[in-house]
C-alpha cells in the first residue's frame, strides 16, 4: 500500500486541529484578538436594507426606542450591539435565520 502525499492545505488543517485539541485540554492558550468598533452609522445600515425603523427593530429584535436614540445621536449602542449591527450589515440573512431558529 502506498503512502498518500499530503497537501499544504491538508497539513495546515491537521496542525490547526492539533492546536484546537491542545487548547481544549488546557495545554496551550490561543491568541485573542480584540477589535474596537467606535463609530457605526445605524441609519445607513438600516437604509441599506431598505427597512423602516419599526421593520428593522422588529426583524432584528432591537428596541425601537433605542434604535431611534442611536440614529438621532442621543445614545450610542453598547459595544456588543455595535458588533451585532456589523453582522446585520454584512449578512442580514444569516441573522434572520439564526433568530428564526432561536424562537
Amino acid at each position: 500500500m502506498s503512502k498518500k502525499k499530503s497537501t499544504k492545505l491538508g497539513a495546515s488543517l491537521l496542525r490547526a486541529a492539533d492546536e484546537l485539541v491542545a487548547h481544549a485540554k488546557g495545554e496551550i492558550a490561543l491568541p485573542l484578538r480584540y477589535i474596537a468598533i467606535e463609530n457605526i452609522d445605524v441609519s445607513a445600515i438600516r437604509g441599506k436594507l431598505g427597512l423602516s425603523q419599526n421593520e428593522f427593530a422588529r426583524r432584528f429584535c432591537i428596541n425601537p426606542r433605542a434604535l431611534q436614540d442611536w440614529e438621532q445621536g442621543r445614545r450610542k449602542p453598547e459595544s456588543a450591539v455595535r458588533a451585532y449591527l456589523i453582522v446585520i450589515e454584512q449578512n442580514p440573512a444569516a441573522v434572520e435565520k439564526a433568530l428564526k431558529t432561536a424562537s
Side-chain angles (χ1 to χ4, degrees), residues 34 42 91 101-102:
Y34 296 96
V42 181
N91 197 340
T101 60

Side-chain angles (χ1 to χ4, degrees), residues 6-21:
S6 69
T7 64
K8 287 182 183 180
L9 175 61
S12 177
L13 290 172
L14 289 173
R15 279 192 307 276
D18 289 341
E19 283 184 1
L20 288 172
V21 170

